Amino acid sequence: MVETEQSRPTMPRSRTRLPRLPRWSLPLLLAAAAGLAAWVARTDIELYRCQLALDDMEFHQADRLARSVLARDPDLRPALLLAARAAAGLRDTTRALRLLEHYPDDDSPSAIDARIQAGDLLMNRQHQMSAALQQYQRAVQLDPQHPLANDRLAYLLSVASRRWEAISPRITLCRQNGFTLLHLQMLAVGNESRVEPEIIRRFHQSHPNDPAPLISLAVIARADQDLERAEQLLQQAVAAQPDMAEAQSRLASVLLEAGHDDRFLAWFDQLPDSARKHPGVWAAMGRFAVSRNEPQVAARCFWEAIAREPTHQQANYRLGLVLARLGREDDAQVFLEQARRINVYTTRVQATSDSQRLDDLEQVAQLAEELGLVFEAYGWAQWANRAGRKHSQPQTWATNALGRLTHRITTLKPTRTLASANPTSTVNLADLPGPRWPPPPKPLPVPSQLTRVDIRFEDLAPLAGLHFQYKNGSDPDHAGHSRMYEMTGGGAAVIDLDQDGWPDLLLTQGGVFLERDTQADHVDRLFRNIGNGQFQDVTVQAGLDSRGFGQGATVGDFNSDGFPDLVIANIGQNRLLVNNGDGTFSDVTLSASIPGNRWTTSCLLVDLNNDGLPDFYAANYLSGDDLYTRECRQTDAGDQPNSNTVLSLRTSSTMLAGICSPLNFQAAQDQLFLNLGTGRFRNITREAGIQRPAGNSLGIVAADFSGSGRLSLFLANDSVPNFYFHYQGNDDTNLPRFQERALRCGLAVNQDGRPEACMGVATGDADGDGRLDLFVTNFINQSNTLYRKLPRREFFADLTHRSGLHSNSMNLLSWGTQFLDADLDGRLDLLVTSGHVEKPSDNQVAYKMPTQFLHNTGQGRFVELNADRVGQFFSKPVLGRGMARLDWNRDGLDDVLISHIDVPAVLLTRTTRPNNTPHGHYVAIRLRATGTARDAIGTGLTLTVDDHVLYRQQTAGDGYMASNQRQLIFGTGPVTSVGPLVVNWPSGRVDTFEELPIDCELMLVEGHQPMRVPR
């Protein structure tokens, strides 16, 4: 670019009259003028020839010419630019940067060009991220509307994982029609985008002391579940540049995820005021306040985050929960609805990115406009118009939207969200207290408890005569599953069919899908526990003629005759099998009037209206004409994102199996049947408030979460928000009424306000606070989720990170799970079984996966123990599905039964070996209610052990396709004198027993003294 005479600074004219020059000086002046003209002419000629040489890529000639001009005038601006380009062409980057830096920051286009050139050299040649960012920022300061400067700045900020800062330049590009589809996608998904690791590593290796790349390196480390490395990188970044707000925000999040309260307080104590402009900093402080049970402080922090970023989904969602907890229901709804709309918007953007369908863009643009994202709405309409013209598919809606929005955006400030659309403009929480936390005390050394943990499990199924393998209907020669029904596997139920005190087992079978209901070989199997360490297959003797394509099963005394009955969930007709009391069962499905031809996954028999009769709930999954025929093979490699792409979007993590995401099918409506007491049921789904769209139900639990003596229902839904049906009482006809409140109670989505692909559920008091918590298993790359029950009313908080349950589950696709006290120390541990639904093309993602044992170290914090600590089975990759808890050998130690797809079911038994550290003592309790249904579901038990109080509750549903043994085990550790035991029955009766014997099984009948169960 050649600078013109008009662009050069001119000298101001003087008002003073100049003296008259003598005549003899005129020839000298003419000679001088001629020399100056010759000098100017030579300079212009050399600059022109230099430009031509650059155009022809003759960098040596251009360099010689530019040097010649600069030798005469070192500050000539056109020469500086041309010389810099010549030096860059000769790969003399250092000289090029020195020349560009010599160009002053004025308001000329050439100055902006100099800054962009310098930024490009620093970014692409020398890989200096911070220095390049500074150059692009200077260019934008010179001209805030410059398209190329904004594009470069937005790009590099995104590479640096500073995407909140990248919003402003991206909005500027949208306003000027200078955007690309990636700009719109990045605005919508924010932190869901990712950077190729090699790009970041190149920046870091070139300049290890540059703090800018450290944020992205920390993001990569966090994705690899290396929180220690992520923290180290972020600590280094904030030490070098404390006002780097993004680094401060991410450091706070990592400290929260790792559960380092002391380090978080140290971070807060040293936080500079400049970093408080970042919404992520306030959101992290809000999460910490929630963990400290400071709801008002949490509300203020989340509100401040939203004031800075109205589309911060996590802050909106969590503020809604906190406000509901504070009793501000109307205000809570404002933010919960905002979180819902944000989730719908980002989900649709990701889906549209995957499908590339123009028809989907109309909904995306409409959602953006509803959220006050006017520039994005304009951008989506503009993009649809362009694409429509290109493919000869006119988009009338886009034309209309542009006509409505074009004039509007010219009068708006370049901010992402309209001020009027920010929910903080309608709900003012500035009067609530802000965070005021003292510096952390000096940490005291804490001896590791894991050195004393010695827990062993062993698969005793073969030795016990338990031989069963689930057949999922797939082609045995194909590694993976080609249809949806081949993925879910089967379940397990524990039932004492003959009431001899020894738990028996039912395992559901799939078989050949097209032969369901007629197949003879692949049928559900019933195994009787003989009591001598052996099981006997009594399927035929018991008359258990169940030939459907089995999923889950449940146990309950349907007719209140004292013998447990069975319901088997199928793809197709479910089966109700009544226990005849003589070791046999009768199929009463038709006479009981529980019709249906749905895909039922999990189910339960439980009294929901407190009339003493167990009702039947069927958790249903998917529906649709092609549900059972659609092929679910992986997409071709050519359809995958280009590996050379520097910035990209994460596609939906619900499935890797191409077209077979559960979101591509219709949801199947759950069904609730009321037990009429006549041997028949009546469908009350709609009347009871259970009629809800888009459930995709997989796991289920019924429990008394409020301590009211009434049962509520939790449904784990696949890829859509979970359901929590809160009991509202009975109507005038004694029908139970429920209200779906998962979103307000904190159970619908994870802490970020995003739904997950949920499968299994475990229920228990994870942190020893006397309240039931929920642990939910999820799809790969989502982590499993621990929802801890909060004090008072029915509110839960996602405290997965603080519990140590996040990083160890991110690389697993988990299904069945159960709480159990493996070492009888009074703390509930976790078992989780996992396995993929399709063999991934990426070798870094496992297909078969190991089972996990997660040891509770106290206060609800868990540590995964390796196979060398807990048993060889935990090193064996499998395709795990259903899991049920039981003490099959009656030694006071809970075991689990796991159904697999690829290998036989296992009876994972808690064992001991000589010289092992002895486990604790125990009290095993079985319950029989008299004032309500005999199964006593919802009964809460509180046992005092020394200065600790342990809480257990009899629940139903039991998670993913499972029904546990109806027995509660209290581990008492070394304590041999325990009590009192307080029993809160669903009828409202409270029984108290001052002292209990240990190391035995007790039967508690409502209103009576405990009785030892004979062996």
Side-chain angles (χ1 to χ4, degrees):
M1 182 181 295
V2 179
E3 189 175 44
T4 64
E5 289 292 329
Q6 288 81 2
S7 65
R8 294 184 182 180
T10 57
M11 297 296 293
R13 294 185 178 182
S14 174
R15 295 175 180 268
T16 307
R17 180 183 296 274
L18 295 176
R20 183 182 298 274
L21 297 176
R23 291 185 177 182
W24 56 265
S25 64
L26 184 60
L28 295 178
L29 288 175
L30 292 174
L36 179 60
W39 184 88
V40 172
R42 178 185 175 188
T43 296
D44 288 343
I45 292 172
E46 287 181 329
L47 290 176
Y48 176 71
R49 291 175 59 198
C50 181
Q51 182 65 62
L52 291 177
L54 287 172
D55 293 341
D56 294 335
M57 301 185 68
E58 296 288 344
F59 298 119
H60 285 286
Q61 182 181 355
D63 181 60
R64 178 179 57 79
L65 291 166
R67 286 177 182 270
S68 174
V69 174
L70 290 176
R72 297 191 300 275
D73 187 351
D75 297 323
L76 188 62
R77 297 179 185 181
L80 288 171
L81 286 179
L82 294 174
R85 290 172 182 167
L90 294 171
R91 311 299 293 183
D92 190 353
T93 305
T94 301
R95 181 169 182 269
L97 289 170
R98 187 170 60 248
L99 290 165
L100 291 169
E101 190 60 31
H102 193 59
Y103 201 106
D105 283 357
D106 55 29
D107 57 355
S108 68
S110 296
I112 300 172
D113 192 32
R115 300 284 67 79
I116 294 175
Q117 284 187 59
D120 289 351
L121 290 172
L122 289 164
M123 177 174 64
N124 299 320
R125 294 271 187 89
Q126 295 195 339
H127 307 298
Q128 296 187 52
M129 184 176 287
S130 289
L133 280 170
Q134 291 173 3
Q135 293 293 330
Y136 296 140
Q137 288 165 342
R138 286 167 62 183
V140 170
Q141 288 173 358
L142 293 173
D143 182 1
Q145 307 303 317
H146 196 281
L148 186 58
N150 278 283
D151 182 67
R152 291 286 203 277
L153 180 59
Y155 166 80
L156 195 53
L157 283 171
S158 296
V159 171
S161 297
R162 294 161 64 173
R163 297 180 185 104
W164 181 66
E165 297 174 62
I167 289 176
S168 179
R170 291 194 192 282
I171 290 295
T172 300
L173 292 169
C174 287
R175 189 178 195 176
Q176 299 173 342
N177 291 333
F179 62 91
T180 65
L181 182 59
L182 184 60
H183 284 302
L184 293 172
Q185 293 169 335
M186 295 285 285
L187 278 169
V189 303
N191 289 335
E192 291 299 305
S193 58
R194 62 186 177 190
V195 180
E196 289 299 323
E198 289 305 316
I199 303 296
I200 298 302
R201 294 190 180 106
R202 191 180 306 151
F203 278 108
H204 180 60
Q205 290 167 2
S206 299
H207 294 273
N209 295 324
D210 185 354
L214 298 180
I215 299 176
S216 289
L217 286 175
V219 171
I220 295 170
R222 182 177 176 273
D224 293 337
Q225 314 312 314
D226 191 348
L227 292 182
E228 183 177 353
R229 171 67 173 160
E231 180 188 347
Q232 177 187 8
L233 290 164
L234 292 168
Q235 292 281 17
Q236 184 180 345
V238 299
Q241 194 172 334
D243 60 349
M244 192 187 298
E246 185 70 41
Q248 296 281 9
S249 169
R250 292 185 181 268
L251 174 58
S253 293
V254 167
L255 294 174
L256 288 173
E257 291 172 22
H260 296 319
D261 289 3
D262 53 342
R263 298 183 196 174
F264 184 91
L265 289 171
W267 165 86
F268 176 78
D269 187 52
Q270 300 173 10
L271 182 68
D273 289 340
S274 58
R276 293 175 182 255
K277 64 184 180 182
H278 198 290
V281 168
W282 285 99
M285 291 191 292
R287 290 165 55 191
F288 186 69
V290 169
S291 72
R292 291 170 63 94
N293 194 25
E294 299 177 0
Q296 289 191 326
V297 175
R300 172 66 183 277
C301 291
F302 290 133
W303 184 83
E304 294 284 358
I306 298 165
R308 290 157 176 78
E309 186 180 355
T311 54
H312 196 298
Q313 185 171 346
Q314 181 195 94
N316 276 283
Y317 171 64
R318 301 201 71 164
L319 177 54
L321 296 182
V322 173
L323 289 174
R325 185 180 169 193
L326 292 171
R328 301 176 63 162
E329 296 287 344
D330 292 341
D331 292 341
Q333 187 58 36
V334 171
F335 295 97
L336 291 174
E337 176 61 19
Q338 176 81 345
R340 185 196 66 80
R341 290 189 299 171
I342 295 167
N343 179 66
V344 173
Y345 176 57
T346 56
T347 300
R348 291 311 310 163
V349 168
Q350 288 178 314
T352 302
S353 174
D354 295 339
S355 69
Q356 299 293 313
R357 291 176 48 185
L358 290 177
D359 295 344
D360 295 337
L361 290 177
E362 181 177 6
Q363 184 183 7
V364 170
Q366 181 180 350
L367 290 167
E369 193 168 359
E370 290 174 358
L371 284 166
L373 308 176
V374 177
F375 290 105
E376 284 164 68
Y378 173 82
W380 291 115
Q382 188 71 266
W383 187 262
N385 236 7
R386 295 178 193 172
R389 289 194 299 268
K390 179 179 179 182
H391 298 287
S392 300
Q393 299 178 20
Q395 302 294 306
T396 305
W397 70 265
T399 303
N400 294 336
L402 290 174
R404 183 176 66 254
L405 296 174
T406 300
H407 175 71
R408 188 178 182 188
I409 65 171
T410 60
T411 61
L412 295 175
K413 294 181 179 179
T415 56
R416 188 182 180 202
T417 308
L418 295 178
S420 59
N422 191 329
T424 61
S425 65
T426 59
V427 179
N428 189 349
L429 302 180
D431 59 334
L432 293 180
R436 295 181 180 274
W437 298 310
K442 292 184 178 180
L444 299 174
V446 179
S448 174
Q449 297 180 351
L450 294 182
T451 58
R452 303 194 298 271
V453 176
D454 200 346
I455 297 170
R456 305 294 296 183
F457 287 89
E458 184 179 353
D459 176 20
L460 297 184
L463 293 177
L466 185 67
H467 303 291
F468 179 89
Q469 181 167 335
Y470 185 84
K471 307 293 183 182
N472 70 332
S474 65
D475 182 353
D477 296 328
H478 169 61
H481 315 129
S482 61
R483 293 181 175 87
M484 290 294 291
Y485 63 79
E486 297 172 6
M487 302 177 186
T488 51
V494 184
I495 177 173
D496 186 357
L497 67 94
D498 50 8
Q499 294 293 276
D500 65 351
W502 293 90
D504 311 304
L505 304 175
L506 173 86
L507 285 156
T508 63
Q509 181 60 278
V512 180
F513 189 76
L514 295 179
E515 298 176 6
R516 60 191 185 279
D517 298 326
T518 62
Q519 54 192 341
D521 296 329
H522 303 117
V523 298
D524 304 327
R525 293 287 173 184
L526 181 64
F527 296 88
R528 181 172 177 264
N529 190 339
I530 301 175
N532 61 356
Q534 291 290 306
F535 286 89
Q536 179 184 9
D537 188 337
V538 295
T539 306
V540 176
Q541 298 93 311
L544 196 74
D545 187 18
S546 184
R547 304 166 182 265
F549 197 86
Q551 298 289 274
T554 194
V555 176
D557 190 356
F558 148 68
N559 52 11
S560 301
D561 64 354
F563 289 92
D565 309 307
L566 278 168
V567 175
I568 298 175
N570 290 316
I571 298 180
Q573 178 66 62
N574 299 321
R575 302 292 181 189
L576 173 57
L577 305 172
V578 169
N579 192 330
N580 298 319
D582 58 1
T584 66
F585 290 83
S586 297
D587 189 337
V588 298
T589 306
L590 295 180
S591 63
S593 299
I594 50 172
N597 190 28
R598 294 176 171 85
W599 182 348
T600 301
T601 51
S602 300
C603 57
L604 57 79
L605 277 171
V606 65
D607 181 11
L608 293 175
N609 64 342
N610 209 35
D611 64 354
L613 299 170
D615 309 303
F616 173 54
Y617 190 104
N620 296 323
Y621 189 35
L622 301 173
S623 64
D625 295 338
D626 64 343
L627 176 60
Y628 306 125
T629 57
R630 187 187 298 189
E631 290 280 342
C632 300
R633 301 298 185 189
Q634 287 215 2
T635 53
D636 295 333
D639 296 332
Q640 301 299 322
N642 190 334
S643 60
N644 295 323
T645 302
V646 177
L647 289 172
S648 60
L649 298 178
R650 289 195 184 108
T651 57
S652 173
S653 59
T654 50
M655 297 197 84
L656 296 177
I659 61 173
C660 273
S661 163
L663 296 177
N664 296 133
F665 297 93
Q666 296 176 6
Q669 171 62 50
D670 291 352
Q671 299 289 310
L672 175 58
F673 296 87
L674 181 71
N675 190 336
L676 301 177
T678 61
R680 297 173 62 83
F681 289 87
R682 179 164 73 90
N683 191 327
I684 61 167
T685 304
R686 183 180 299 276
E687 300 152 276
I690 302 297
Q691 191 87 17
R692 301 288 297 184
N696 301 353
S697 300
L698 286 175
I700 187 171
V701 163
D704 176 10
F705 291 101
S706 63
S708 64
R710 298 294 181 263
L711 300 176
S712 295
L713 303 169
F714 173 80
L715 278 300
N717 291 334
D718 187 359
S719 305
V720 295
N722 301 319
F723 291 156
Y724 180 70
F725 292 111
H726 179 258
Y727 178 73
Q728 301 290 297
N730 296 343
D731 65 10
D732 294 339
T733 62
N734 207 32
L735 292 183
R737 301 302 301 270
F738 294 88
Q739 183 183 36
E740 204 292 294
R741 298 186 60 184
L743 188 63
R744 287 183 174 237
C745 291
L747 292 171
V749 291
N750 66 7
Q751 68 167 9
D752 296 323
R754 300 183 186 279
E756 297 175 302
C758 303
M759 283 85 165
V761 189
T763 311
D765 183 6
D767 51 3
D769 63 357
R771 296 184 289 270
L772 278 186
D773 308 306
L774 286 165
F775 177 74
V776 180
T777 58
N778 296 315
F779 208 83
I780 194 168
N781 293 329
Q782 290 184 338
S783 98
N784 299 327
T785 305
L786 179 65
Y787 296 101
R788 284 196 189 172
K789 177 72 170 56
L790 299 175
R792 298 185 304 277
R793 303 177 66 184
E794 295 185 48
F795 294 107
F796 294 79
D798 175 356
L799 296 180
T800 306
H801 292 287
R802 295 176 56 79
S803 300
L805 294 169
H806 180 267
S807 60
N808 51 34
S809 62
M810 284 294 291
N811 295 325
L812 297 175
L813 197 168
S814 301
W815 301 82
T817 182
Q818 296 294 342
F819 279 114
L820 56 86
D821 185 355
D823 52 357
L824 298 177
D825 64 352
R827 298 189 289 262
L828 293 178
D829 310 303
L830 276 167
L831 272 167
V832 184
T833 187
S834 303
H836 220 304
V837 296
E838 176 61 280
K839 188 174 180 60
S841 58
D842 185 354
N843 293 329
Q844 295 181 348
V845 179
Y847 175 46
K848 299 179 180 181
M849 298 174 176
T851 302
Q852 287 181 294
F853 177 80
L854 299 152
H855 178 63
N856 190 335
T857 61
Q859 296 182 332
R861 295 178 186 265
F862 293 83
V863 174
E864 183 176 1
L865 299 187
N866 295 327
D868 60 350
R869 303 288 297 274
V870 289
Q872 186 60 35
F873 174 78
F874 292 88
S875 65
K876 180 181 179 180
V878 292
L879 297 177
R881 292 302 189 261
M883 177 191 291
R885 185 184 70 239
L886 75 160
D887 177 13
W888 74 275
N889 53 8
R890 299 179 67 180
D891 62 355
L893 293 162
D894 269 328
D895 317 302
V896 292
L897 174 66
I898 307 176
S899 176
H900 300 121
I901 287 181
D902 60 324
V903 295
V906 304
L907 187 61
L908 200 56
T909 306
R910 174 70 167 88
T911 61
T912 58
R913 296 181 305 175
N915 302 323
N916 268 19
T917 304
H919 56 71
H921 299 282
Y922 72 94
V923 178
I925 296 178
R926 302 175 189 178
L927 301 168
R928 290 291 181 271
T930 59
T932 55
R934 290 172 51 87
D935 295 329
I937 305 302
T939 303
L941 290 80
T942 303
L943 177 65
T944 300
V945 180
D946 269 358
D947 55 349
H948 299 290
V949 177
L950 307 180
Y951 178 76
R952 303 288 185 266
Q953 187 183 133
Q954 184 99 296
T955 62
D958 301 326
Y960 182 76
M961 300 186 180
S963 187
N964 295 335
Q965 180 184 7
R966 296 284 163 76
Q967 176 173 272
L968 303 173
I969 294 180
F970 289 89
T972 68
V975 180
T976 58
S977 178
V978 300
L981 173 70
V982 180
V983 184
N984 290 274
W985 300 93
S987 65
R989 180 185 175 91
V990 179
D991 288 335
T992 302
F993 308 102
E994 292 301 326
E995 189 171 353
L996 293 180
I998 63 166
D999 296 335
C1000 64
E1001 299 170 338
L1002 299 176
M1003 172 65 75
L1004 295 185
V1005 178
E1006 185 175 2
H1008 295 78
Q1009 290 295 314
M1011 298 176 289
R1012 286 179 180 263
V1013 179
R1015 292 177 62 91

